[in-house]
Amino acid sequence: MVRQRTNVCGRGEKDTGKLERSNATHALLYKTEMQTEGMYGCEVSTEMPHFRTIKAEKELYVYVIPEGDPAIFGVMNRYPIGSAVNVTCVFGPSKPAAELTWYINGDKASEAYVRQRQKEIYQNDLETTKSRLFFVVDPSHLRQGTLSLQCTASVSLVHSKSSIELIVNDGSSGAEFLHVPHVPPGLEGPSITGSVSRYYVGDTVDVNCSSARSLEPAQLQWFVNDNEVKPEFLSQYSPTIYPDGLSSTKLGLRFRVQEDHFRSEEMRLKCTATLAKIITMTTVETIAVGPQRTSGFQVSANSAIGGYTF
């Protein structure tokens, strides 16, 4: 059994809306399903004499999180020194897919121990994630005669996306750049610094994108002409933490302008800031040297809401 969590991020009218409870400014969605996800828009038009039209859009996300915690399969009652641990952690189906992390006695397992990671896709784009842990037990793996295996599933739920776009004309045209913000109502979007008014072929673009202050660190992405920039052109910076507990992230972009960067005498640089809540679920298996084994379910020690960690 799975539970749907819906982050309603806009106004729109689909088959799931109740027309009798919707009006010119609001649309009611009384039931969500996988097909509810998408871009919702609102368009306002004026009449004579101006005939102006303004349109706003926002994306709606549908999330599916399983009721249970990750399951660990293949655990034996006893692991003598020199024996092999060969266990598998399974979580799902969910949307989006989870990232699985292994821990041994509270320490993150070496990547050499993680032999396999795979995802299986089901109907409605739900995914089940599996990860296999394999290693040979030695005395360093024991704590007070026990071996603790922990699998943590992390699911990132996007709840806000905002961006700013820098539209740069070919320097030979004489036109200057234009900042175009794409920010949901009531939110502050990222900012771009370091840009110059004109770029020519052969110039170096060296700009930084900084997110607005937020409780959760924002994930930043750079796009050139709607194509995500490769890591080798990016500069990572440590987040800035403010006295009020808010934080801001910064991501640099540096590349040399090529002729094909200008499309119709225009180059578009866009920085997108994504805010997401991370849900973590953890299962721990503690195996004694003797024949007894205990199993427990734990949630990481952040503020827990309804059994999940935000």
Side-chain angles (χ1 to χ4, degrees), residues 254-293:
R254 181 182 173 87
F255 67 96
R256 187 173 297 276
V257 178
Q258 306 293 327
E259 186 173 349
D260 59 0
H261 285 137
F262 288 103
R263 299 179 179 178
S264 301
E265 300 183 349
E266 188 176 85
M267 177 173 61
R268 308 174 76 93
L269 310 178
K270 184 170 71 172
C271 175
T272 297
T274 301
L275 292 175
K277 295 184 184 295
I278 306 297
I279 291 179
T280 61
M281 288 146 284
T282 298
T283 293
V284 178
E285 292 279 359
T286 303
I287 304 101
V289 175
Q292 299 300 316
R293 175 168 65 90

Side-chain angles (χ1 to χ4, degrees), residues 153-165:
S154 300
V155 183
S156 177
L157 308 184
V158 173
H159 63 84
S160 174
K161 275 191 177 182
S162 58
S163 62
I164 186 167
E165 194 167 20

Side-chain angles (χ1 to χ4, degrees), residues 23 36 52 81 124 128 155-156 192 197 199-200 227 246 255 304:
N23 55 37
T36 307
R52 294 186 60 193
I81 299 299
N124 293 328
T128 292
V155 183
S156 177
I192 296 175
S197 58
Y199 287 101
Y200 296 86
N227 296 315
L246 301 180
F255 67 96

Side-chain angles (χ1 to χ4, degrees), residues 87-90 98-103 108-120 127-134 150-152:
V87 293
T88 301
C89 180
V90 180
E99 292 296 326
L100 300 181
T101 306
W102 282 103
Y103 297 86
K108 186 176 180 181
S110 168
E111 285 296 317
Y113 292 173
V114 182
R115 294 295 183 89
Q116 186 181 36
R117 290 188 176 98
Q118 65 182 40
K119 296 176 182 178
E120 296 180 0
E127 294 185 66
T128 292
T129 308
K130 298 181 180 180
S131 179
R132 185 165 72 97
L133 181 71
F134 181 90
Q150 174 182 327
C151 178
T152 296

